[in-house]
Amino acid sequence: MASMSAVLSKSPFLSQPLSKSPSSDLPFSAATVSFPSKSHRRGGVIRAGLISPDGGKLVELVVSEPRRREKKHEAAELPRVELTSIDVQWMHVLSEGWASPLGGFMRESEFLQTLHFNSLRLDDGSVVNMSVPIVLAIDDEQKASIGESKRVALVDSDGNPVAILTDIEIYKHPKEERIARTWGTTAPGLPYVEEAITNAGNWLIGGDLEVLEPVKYNDGLDRFRLSPAELRKELEKRGADAVFAFQLRNPVHNGHALLMTDTRRRLLEMGYKNPILLLHPLGGYTKADDVPLSWRMKQHEKVLEDGVLDPETTVVSIFPSPMHYAGPTEVQWHAKARINAGANFYIVGRDPAGMGHPVEKRDLYDADHGKKVLSMAPGLERLNILPFRVAAYDKTQGKMAFFDPSRPQDFLFISGTKMRTLAKNKENPPDGFMCPGGWQVLVDYYDSLTPAGKLPVPA
């Protein structure tokens, strides 16, 4: 099996304004990027080394081994707040420094800056991006049980202490405002809202976080969950002089692969010697109709095994964040987190972090707004945003290729619905759409959901 970990790198470039690229409402678009020219390089030379984390250093919140027993004894004497599975995922994110320089669940000032400015102002006056609230909700009963205590123990679903929250602040949970500002709508049916906000408590509790042990899920995938510090170590080990990150929550098809290999080719042409791809699937909460993480990881492994991507220049790791499906607001979080792992290039495509409108028959967000927002977002100036143009299946070549508007009749766009229907019916897509091993994983997944004897799904 191909080696899978994660990898990133630094360049001295500032983000450049986006050049116009063909937009499309068509599915499964992939992208070519607008690269900074040599004139934009500081000093006109390529510089090696990883980009520094937001705030200058990684904020790692796991208690050191010698102090864990002592901290567990302290936690046993404190008021308790039970965490949901999504709360645990956010605790994981915080503990490893993905949200650096954030040092715990947000207090009210941080929450309000995030909602209203999509950024946090640090003590030295500098600004870092922060577009989604990382907060912990409690109800009236929990608030009463905490009383005047300035510390609480955070416990898992079995009642085991997993963290301590210190110097706490409890404040109102303005659910409607939070939803409206994060998603741009309060329409019913937003997956994350229904899962994590609607029935959550009416109070938020923030404070400094101490996590008692590294977060593990014991699902066979923990070896892929590399922290930002581990990713940086891996990148340095590989000698990466540029790292381009690609976030996804879907199976990899050959349009994605075309984009990623073309991006590496362009970076080599610019003078980089060893650009490394960070293939970084989202591993936290996703909506019910997304392919589960375990199956996606099997599919990604097959993509490497079948040679669609080069294991020597690709690192695959799981990003532990839950998914909001909040479009241009959320994609800033996805980009910012990769800075903390060392990435200096971020690939963004059509409608990043988007979804269909939960009530109306349309997309919730404009398909081009995500990449435009990333090019202007406060606190992301150090990150090079790589927007892409459309890729589709070229019938004349029998493979995925960049769309040529001069011959549209030669291209086939395969929607997500069509792909799922084919996989459910154990039918094959056109040769060259996805590697055979990766496609078989999808067929096996949908087959595992189909009751015995059920008829094929109509196309």
Side-chain angles (χ1 to χ4, degrees):
M1 185 185 76
S3 170
M4 302 172 75
S5 338
V7 85
L8 300 104
S9 141
K10 146 157 189 165
S11 143
F13 302 165
L14 297 178
S15 296
Q16 302 300 321
L18 298 177
S19 64
K20 290 184 178 180
S21 59
S23 62
S24 171
D25 291 332
L26 298 167
F28 280 142
S29 56
T32 38
V33 301
S34 301
F35 289 86
S37 66
K38 289 184 179 181
S39 63
H40 291 129
R41 301 173 190 167
R42 293 180 188 171
V45 297
I46 299 287
R47 296 183 186 177
L50 300 183
I51 191 171
S52 60
D54 277 345
K57 60 182 272 187
L58 277 178
V59 176
E60 297 178 273
L61 305 176
V62 178
V63 174
S64 62
E65 180 75 40
R67 300 176 61 232
R68 288 177 189 169
R69 177 176 295 184
E70 170 195 348
K71 288 294 179 180
K72 288 178 181 179
H73 284 307
E74 290 180 22
E77 305 300 321
L78 296 173
R80 295 185 159 207
V81 172
E82 183 174 331
L83 303 180
T84 67
S85 60
I86 290 180
D87 293 334
V88 171
Q89 291 167 12
W90 282 123
M91 183 186 74
H92 184 182
V93 165
L94 291 166
S95 72
E96 293 183 341
W98 294 102
S100 294
L102 199 59
F105 287 102
M106 289 178 174
R107 298 182 176 91
E108 188 174 37
S109 64
E110 296 160 331
F111 173 69
L112 291 175
Q113 288 181 74
T114 299
L115 277 191
H116 292 271
F117 309 130
N118 284 358
S119 61
L120 298 175
R121 186 170 295 279
L122 307 184
D123 291 341
D124 63 2
S126 63
V127 170
V128 297
N129 191 271
M130 181 56 68
S131 63
V132 298
I134 302 180
V135 292
L136 179 59
I138 59 173
D139 58 25
D140 292 344
E141 183 179 347
Q142 290 172 312
K143 180 176 181 290
S145 70
I146 293 169
E148 298 300 316
S149 177
K150 299 303 292 180
R151 304 171 75 207
V152 297
L154 307 183
V155 302
D156 63 19
S157 57
D158 295 324
N160 301 311
V162 292
I164 296 173
L165 205 58
T166 302
D167 194 17
I168 62 173
E169 177 185 351
I170 297 175
Y171 54 102
K172 285 278 192 179
H173 186 183
K175 295 182 184 180
E176 184 178 22
E177 181 182 5
R178 177 185 175 188
I179 295 165
R181 289 192 172 275
T182 303
W183 282 269
T185 181
T186 56
L190 296 168
Y192 186 92
V193 171
E194 293 190 343
E195 185 73 23
I197 299 179
T198 301
N199 297 318
N202 293 323
W203 303 93
L204 297 175
I205 180 171
D208 299 326
L209 184 66
E210 296 177 287
V211 178
L212 303 183
E213 291 184 353
V215 177
K216 301 295 181 185
Y217 297 85
N218 300 313
D219 57 358
L221 300 175
D222 284 331
R223 68 189 188 279
F224 298 130
R225 293 185 174 96
L226 300 187
S227 69
E230 290 170 329
L231 288 172
R232 287 172 172 271
K233 184 176 180 180
E234 176 67 19
L235 292 170
E236 291 173 352
K237 176 182 174 183
R238 294 199 183 198
D241 60 353
V243 176
F244 53 110
F246 189 71
Q247 141 114 14
L248 70 169
R249 67 174 197 271
N250 294 305
V252 174
H253 59 72
N254 288 354
H256 296 137
L258 172 65
L259 161 65
M260 291 181 270
T261 55
D262 187 71
T263 299
R264 187 172 194 276
R265 177 187 64 81
R266 297 287 298 276
L267 289 170
L268 288 169
E269 289 178 353
M270 288 172 57
Y272 288 97
K273 301 301 183 185
N274 190 28
I276 298 293
L277 165 65
L278 172 63
L279 186 62
H280 214 196
L282 186 135
Y285 162 80
T286 54
K287 54 190 175 68
D289 60 349
D290 282 351
V291 177
L293 176 64
S294 60
W295 287 93
R296 283 185 279 130
M297 293 304 293
K298 290 178 185 178
Q299 196 268 351
H300 299 343
E301 289 183 271
K302 289 298 182 182
V303 167
L304 291 179
E305 287 178 8
D306 288 2
V308 177
L309 295 173
D310 183 358
E312 296 301 317
T313 59
T314 304
V315 177
V316 180
S317 180
I318 295 171
F319 177 45
S321 175
M323 187 75 190
H324 278 63
Y325 305 92
T329 297
E330 183 176 16
V331 75
Q332 296 174 65
W333 158 241
H334 292 165
K336 173 249 170 50
R338 274 51 181 232
I339 290 177
N340 285 329
N344 59 312
F345 289 91
Y346 186 78
I347 300 173
V348 59
R350 176 189 178 275
D351 196 20
M355 58 172 281
H357 194 285
V359 176
E360 304 172 18
K361 291 185 177 180
R362 62 179 178 86
D363 286 342
L364 184 54
Y365 306 105
D366 184 290
D368 292 325
H369 282 183
K371 61 186 178 185
K372 290 178 180 178
V373 166
L374 279 183
S375 72
M376 303 179 287
L380 295 182
E381 294 84 3
R382 297 184 298 144
L383 187 66
N384 294 282
I385 306 304
L386 307 179
F388 56 66
R389 76 173 189 252
V390 177
Y393 186 78
D394 187 339
K395 293 181 286 187
T396 66
Q397 300 185 56
K399 64 179 183 178
M400 298 295 286
F402 293 121
F403 180 70
D404 183 352
S406 69
R407 51 185 186 92
Q409 70 282 357
D410 293 335
F411 288 87
L412 176 66
F413 291 89
I414 301 174
S415 69
T417 301
K418 175 65 173 176
M419 183 191 74
R420 288 189 292 271
T421 300
L422 290 172
K424 288 174 183 176
N425 290 340
K426 301 182 182 181
E427 300 174 14
N428 291 324
D431 289 342
F433 172 73
M434 185 182 292
C435 68
W439 182 255
Q440 187 59 49
V441 171
L442 279 189
V443 171
D444 291 345
Y445 164 62
Y446 285 111
D447 188 50
S448 73
L449 304 179
T450 305
K454 187 172 181 179
L455 294 175
V457 178

